[in-house]
Amino acid sequence: KSVMQIETLRLTIANAGGKALVIAPLGVRQEFKRDGKMLGVDFQFIRRPEEMTDDQQFYITNYESVRDGKLDPNLFTAVSLDEASVLRSFGSKTYQTFLSLFDRVRFKFVATATPSPNKFKELIHYAGYLGVMDTGQALTRFFQRDSQKANNLTLYPHKEREFWLWLNSWAVFVQAPSDLGHDDTGYALPPMKIHYHEIKVDHSEAGYEGNGQALMFRDSALGLKDAAREKRDTLEDRAAKVAEIIGQAPDDHWIIWHDLEAERHAIQKALPEAKAVWGSQDLDEREQRIIDFSDGKFRYLSAKPVIAGSGCNFQRHCHKAVFMGIGYKFNDFIQAVHRIYRFLQTEEVEIHIIYAESEQEILKALETKWRQHNEMVGKMTDIIKQHELG
């Protein structure tokens, strides 16, 4: 993906002149510098316009610098967002800020390995940012409201084919060279094996319904309060399971994914050798740890998907991951999986998913979203094979 972005920007600047900017998550700039050298493109990392020079054409910065107003993207002829997923939430600060911030940029691109993994309507946020179609207009044209569930929009059945063809007019899903009629040698991913680890819970503490009726089973799917309780009550058992799993292959490199600060502390206690990254950590220190793990300088890294789950390349030295818990945010999950299950990975990938016995409904929801993601990718791949890029 980074190679595609670099070559696209190189050709754009060669024809249109000016300067190009890549906006990327933390820990990714080294990847662009490495791939840029391969293509004869030299990237300079900047946070402010004062760091730009007349003879430098290609720059890279982090999302924080643009979102916080330190660097104006309109100083550049072409801009590529390395992770389109930052635009997936309509109400997010990033989306609302970016929607009008790039108005004078001539050439805009977005790139992601996980386009709209569970809600097709999120794809229209990319169209809104790129100026293809107003998001409200696209919603009205293609989506119907669900009378049973608020804010749940689904594609009109008679508009489905039109929607995918419209999408293919301004976006392209390329999974492998064979999608465009080329040889897949060097791009065939190794197998991926999923391991599930269920943590037993004490159902005698299931609690009561609002009317006083006793519950027979603990069920975190009942609501946020119940889900949080399950996370809290199974914390030490899940941390112990993480240490047990890693202890079976201690010489391998492992990425440990978690969602809560309490989980990070529990991991440090159960596995003192693990190094962590977290939100309030110094940005440079956090980025250096991500880069060092990517370069294989230490074996165990614990992180939240929202911090290190996008853009990072861990596949060169790591092929094993543990999810200390599960939740409903499929985008975070699938992004985290693809930190090691990506091109240049040579080993069989192992994904270990730890969940409480009471979280079976959450697990089912996660697996359903995974299946929907694969179906969407299949539809787009078929359209590309039929129409090519025309």
Side-chain angles (χ1 to χ4, degrees), residues 46-61:
I46 58 171
R47 288 194 175 99
R48 291 177 175 81
E50 296 80 38
E51 298 170 302
M52 297 168 64
T53 57
D54 292 338
D55 59 343
Q56 180 69 32
Q57 283 188 302
F58 297 91
Y59 296 89
I60 185 168
T61 192

Side-chain angles (χ1 to χ4, degrees), residues 295-368:
D295 290 339
K297 293 182 179 178
F298 59 91
R299 290 181 298 172
Y300 312 145
L301 175 72
S302 72
K304 295 179 182 180
V306 294
I307 290 177
S310 296
C312 300
N313 286 267
F314 297 144
Q315 76 276 26
R316 293 183 181 89
H317 298 277
C318 179
H319 63 278
K320 295 183 177 181
V322 182
F323 287 83
M324 188 176 170
I326 56 173
Y328 289 108
K329 294 182 178 179
F330 176 72
N331 181 74
D332 292 349
F333 171 77
I334 196 68
Q335 282 275 17
V337 167
H338 284 291
R339 295 314 98 212
I340 60 174
Y341 190 61
R342 58 201 291 116
F343 293 135
L344 303 181
Q345 176 61 264
T346 59
E347 304 288 337
E348 180 181 69
V349 169
E350 288 188 28
I351 305 294
H352 294 261
I353 299 173
I354 300 171
Y355 66 98
E357 181 185 3
S358 50
E359 293 180 316
Q360 291 180 0
E361 290 303 314
I362 297 177
L363 182 64
K364 285 181 184 176
L366 193 69
E367 291 174 328
T368 298

Side-chain angles (χ1 to χ4, degrees), residues 165 168-172 180 383-390:
L165 288 172
N168 195 51
S169 71
W170 57 268
V172 62
L180 302 174
I383 286 174
I384 291 166
K385 287 182 176 178
Q386 179 182 349
H387 299 280
E388 297 180 328
L389 297 182

Side-chain angles (χ1 to χ4, degrees), residues 198-229:
E198 185 176 274
I199 302 296
K200 298 298 181 183
V201 299
D202 183 2
H203 291 293
S204 67
E205 298 181 3
Y208 299 86
E209 291 183 3
N211 60 6
Q213 177 71 38
L215 293 168
M216 185 174 291
F217 301 105
R218 292 174 68 138
D219 183 3
S220 65
L222 291 174
L224 293 174
K225 183 179 177 181
D226 301 285
R229 183 191 65 180

